[in-house]
Amino acid sequence: MPATSALPIPVEPSAPPALRLVRPHPEAAPPGTSAAPGDDRDLLATSEAIDEAVHAAVARATGGLSPAALANAWSDWAVHLAFSPGKQAELVVKAARKGERLAEFVLRSALQGGRAEPCIEPLPQDRRFDDPAWRAWPFSLFAQSFLLTQQWWHNATTGVRGVSRAHEAVVAFTARQMLDGIAPSNNPLTNPVVLGETLCTGAENLGQGALNLIEDVVRSMAGGARSAGAGSFAVGREVAATPGRVVYRNGLIELIQYAPATDAVQPEPVLIVPAWINKYYILDLSPENSLVRHLVGQGFTVFMISWRNPGPDDRDLSFDDYRRRGVMEALDAITGLLLERRVHLTGYCLGGTLAAIAAAAMVRDGDDRIASLTLFAAQVDFTEAGELTLFINESQISFLESLMRSTGTLDATQMAGAFQLLRSNDLIWSRMVDSYLLGRREEASDLTAWNADATRMPARMHAEYLRSLFLDNDLAEGRFRVEGRPVALGDIRVPVFLVGTERDHVAPWRSVFKLALLTEAEVTFLLTNGGHNAGIVSEAGHPHRRYRVHTRAAGDLYVDPEGFLRRARAADGSWWPEWTAWLAARSGPPGPPPRARPGAPALDPAPGRYVREA
């Protein structure tokens, strides 16, 4: 894609030819032998094409999940359980004991007018049975029997000797998903809250729920990804509204420079690399909770990358294209505008992983334009990447590759489905009960509007990301190559600021913490409450915010996550001021805001064009 900027930045070399994602067929000629005859090659190509078409069709029907991966996990569990008579006996005993506990509960309920103390409590994060109506008979029986069954299945799917840890996690996860689907809270006849609402409103809740369902189905069939009420948050008006201008554009990014809000600014600008799995403006939501607005209000010059939403023609964009045409061209543009000033490089989620790779490659190549590195909820070591790794194995990736090659991209619905499954109670079943059974719509917010403004992933880039980083962990183990040569995170010497969130289901904080093991640089780790998105959007004045922070000096001995928890300083409130103070301490003395270089392009006002594209 041609660049369209007036900045004096060298024209990028032509991209390397696209790499095939299909691995060599087992019957392909081994190295040092002659190739197969033409007829055999034709047969091989035909067989691969048939298999790929079948896999892509099945993947579309399953939402991108591989039936083979699930079958492997369940067969591993079933075979080992069949050869474990001790485990079988244990499960029989546990079932009998749970039956006794339930029978005692029924007896106590009968003697106490249906208000007996429960025999089992739900897990702390399970809010389905919080309403007092669940304490009344017979709904208490429904809830108690379900919770005992759920506990028994957890015992059954874990602790079977010989089952691989990965397969055990998949079996336990899928068993939990199936049970959650049939929970009494999802059934209008066994949910006392729904029944009570139906009696009070004369079934108006069910009528409104039916209208909500029809509205959602029509929106889905029309191809609309935005949720109900999201239209009240227009990009450039209610969200992504911090003043600025696009100062550089190529076929992959727009670079936004935000207008200064103070008379004096820090000399080192901040470049933010957001993830391209969603639009960039999670960091520039409504004015009251915009991280960008907070930064410019604290005297920083802020640049933001806005990624273009890829389409089928972008199927061959590679992971390194995002580094070269994203991070590196943005740095070139900034140093061209601000006369070679060093930059505080900041990345969020997948953008943070890319920023770490770019920083390591720059050190390797003698490029010292980075003043510091900040990563928000970003992983560089994927050995403990949480339940998301349940969807990352050879079978699953091969399945996704077939799906992506048929369309050129991974659609937002496939990605959203995987993330929702990780928190199905909160993101699927509870919302279905509220919307379709109780007839209530969740009040739209800027964060939910952003979350519904989904993007796609280029086939080649996503396959490389899943294989090299998630599956093979090449970056942490020194095998990840940039321009043909490996990069090492241990080469990073600039100060590092890491942010993890306590309830992150995408990038668990202990996984984010692993960069501290891979570099001897000064590392400040901050752990905030909240999840992957809400924990990062932590504006000043937000109720119930808190964090813990600790700095390990360059060259000091490694401190593990538990050691961090013991040593960290605890504080209440938003973590944003902590970070901006950290940046200011590693910046030069403030001065006048930078003026636009004569002849610099004025492309579009912020938020630019790419963020508006579907």
Side-chain angles (χ1 to χ4, degrees):
M1 302 174 186
T4 57
S5 170
L7 286 178
I9 297 175
V11 177
E12 65 178 77
S14 58
L19 299 177
R20 294 191 69 205
L21 301 180
V22 179
R23 292 195 167 186
H25 192 281
E27 292 184 4
T33 64
S34 60
D39 290 345
D40 288 347
R41 288 196 299 271
D42 292 342
L43 177 61
L44 177 60
T46 301
S47 66
E48 286 183 345
I50 293 172
D51 291 346
E52 186 130 307
V54 171
H55 293 168
V58 175
R60 281 190 288 270
T62 62
L65 295 177
S66 168
L70 294 177
N72 286 341
W74 278 93
S75 62
D76 186 13
W77 170 80
V79 169
H80 283 92
L81 180 61
F83 285 91
S84 301
K87 180 69 173 180
Q88 295 175 31
E90 174 194 336
L91 293 175
V92 170
V93 172
K94 285 182 178 292
R97 288 177 178 174
K98 293 182 190 306
E100 291 175 4
R101 289 168 63 187
L102 187 62
E104 291 176 2
F105 172 76
V106 171
L107 180 59
R108 284 189 285 108
S109 296
L111 296 175
Q112 299 174 22
R115 291 285 179 176
E117 286 296 313
C119 61
I120 182 173
E121 294 287 351
L123 296 173
Q125 67 270 22
D126 188 350
R127 310 301 298 273
R128 288 173 292 185
F129 308 111
D130 283 358
D131 194 284
W134 285 104
R135 300 284 181 172
W137 185 268
F139 306 106
S140 58
L141 174 63
F142 301 153
Q144 292 292 286
S145 59
F146 172 78
L147 292 172
L148 288 169
T149 301
Q150 182 178 253
Q151 188 181 68
W152 185 88
W153 270 103
H154 175 75
N155 294 329
T157 54
T158 58
V160 180
R161 295 187 62 181
V163 179
S164 72
R165 292 179 60 186
H167 285 166
E168 179 181 271
V170 170
V171 170
F173 177 81
T174 52
R176 189 168 68 250
Q177 299 305 312
M178 290 186 285
L179 287 170
D180 286 344
I182 61 173
S185 54
N186 299 335
N187 189 327
L189 300 179
T190 57
N191 187 324
V193 180
V194 174
L195 288 174
E197 186 75 8
T198 303
L199 289 174
C200 288
T201 65
E204 285 185 11
N205 59 305
L206 297 180
Q208 183 59 51
L211 293 177
N212 292 344
L213 176 60
I214 293 171
E215 179 186 356
D216 289 347
V217 170
V218 170
R219 185 188 305 109
S220 177
M221 293 177 64
R226 296 181 69 82
S227 60
S232 59
F233 294 91
V235 172
R237 193 178 65 204
E238 285 80 20
V239 293
T242 303
R245 62 193 179 100
V246 176
V247 295
Y248 177 74
R249 177 186 295 126
N250 62 24
L252 185 59
I253 70 165
E254 288 181 327
L255 181 65
I256 302 169
Q257 179 180 0
Y258 292 96
T262 55
D263 294 334
V265 299
Q266 304 290 345
E268 294 85 0
V270 177
L271 170 61
I272 301 178
V273 185
W276 51 95
I277 195 171
N278 281 95
K279 303 291 179 65
Y280 80 86
Y281 63 89
I282 185 175
L283 301 175
D284 185 25
L285 290 170
S286 303
E288 64 272 11
N289 61 351
S290 165
L291 176 59
V292 170
R293 189 174 290 263
H294 174 77
L295 283 169
V296 296
Q298 296 299 310
F300 289 93
T301 301
V302 180
F303 291 84
M304 174 78 75
I305 289 177
S306 174
W307 301 100
R308 180 171 166 267
N309 195 4
D313 293 341
D314 301 307
R315 64 175 64 239
D316 290 325
L317 280 174
S318 68
F319 195 88
D320 199 56
D321 285 329
Y322 278 77
R323 181 194 64 87
R324 289 187 305 108
R325 302 174 63 190
V327 178
M328 301 312 297
E329 290 197 12
L331 285 170
D332 291 342
I334 292 170
T335 52
L337 285 166
L338 303 185
L339 302 177
E340 305 298 330
R341 296 186 185 182
R342 301 183 78 201
V343 177
H344 293 298
L345 182 59
T346 303
Y348 177 35
C349 187
L350 179 55
T353 305
L354 182 66
I357 292 171
M362 292 173 70
V363 175
R364 181 199 66 186
D365 298 337
D367 187 338
D368 63 353
R369 288 180 289 174
I370 301 300
S372 72
L373 176 65
T374 297
L375 305 182
F376 303 152
Q379 301 173 97
V380 295
D381 184 309
F382 293 82
T383 53
E384 295 183 73
E387 286 190 325
L388 196 60
T389 57
L390 297 174
F391 302 97
I392 309 299
N393 52 56
E394 180 60 44
S395 174
Q396 182 63 55
I397 293 178
S398 177
F399 209 61
L400 278 177
E401 286 173 345
S402 296
L403 175 63
M404 291 188 295
R405 275 192 295 269
S406 69
T407 59
T409 61
L410 182 64
D411 191 75
T413 55
Q414 272 81 37
M415 292 184 287
F419 289 127
Q420 287 176 343
L421 281 175
L422 299 181
R423 294 174 55 208
S424 60
N425 279 341
D426 296 331
L427 301 181
I428 299 178
W429 301 116
S430 293
R431 290 184 178 180
M432 290 180 64
V433 170
D434 286 344
S435 186
Y436 305 144
L437 299 184
L438 295 174
R440 304 168 184 169
R441 279 296 197 192
E442 180 183 11
E443 185 177 351
S445 67
D446 51 6
L447 188 58
T448 57
W450 164 83
N451 194 51
D453 195 5
T455 57
R456 297 171 291 273
M457 303 280 264
R460 179 182 175 188
M461 183 286 304
H462 198 47
E464 292 174 345
Y465 170 64
L466 293 178
R467 284 197 181 280
S468 295
L469 297 174
F470 258 98
L471 189 61
D472 297 333
N473 205 32
D474 285 344
L475 179 59
E477 297 178 11
R479 296 186 300 271
F480 192 88
R481 293 180 175 271
V482 171
E483 297 178 347
R485 293 180 294 153
V487 295
L489 296 169
D491 291 341
I492 296 175
R493 293 291 185 267
V494 296
V496 177
F497 194 96
L498 299 177
V499 179
T501 63
E502 291 177 350
R503 295 187 292 105
D504 199 325
H505 62 288
V506 177
W509 75 266
R510 284 178 171 80
S511 183
V512 174
F513 189 89
K514 283 180 175 290
L515 180 57
L517 179 63
L518 300 172
T519 179
E520 295 182 0
E522 173 198 297
V523 176
T524 297
F525 186 80
L526 185 146
L527 178 63
T528 181
N529 64 327
H532 185 71
N533 297 326
I536 300 302
V537 181
S538 182
E539 70 279 8
H542 191 295
H544 312 304
R545 284 293 184 222
R546 64 180 186 276
Y547 64 89
R548 286 171 281 187
V549 63
H550 175 72
T551 297
R552 185 202 69 190
D556 277 4
L557 297 178
Y558 170 68
V559 176
D560 68 356
E562 284 64 38
F564 162 81
L565 293 175
R566 291 191 300 270
R567 302 182 186 196
R569 169 175 56 87
D572 292 327
S574 167
W575 60 267
W576 289 0
E578 186 83 33
W579 179 49
T580 52
W582 184 90
L583 287 174
R586 289 152 184 82
S587 302
R595 295 183 177 181
R597 180 178 53 79
L603 300 177
D604 287 296
R609 301 177 189 174
Y610 287 172
V611 72
R612 303 179 192 272
E613 295 179 354

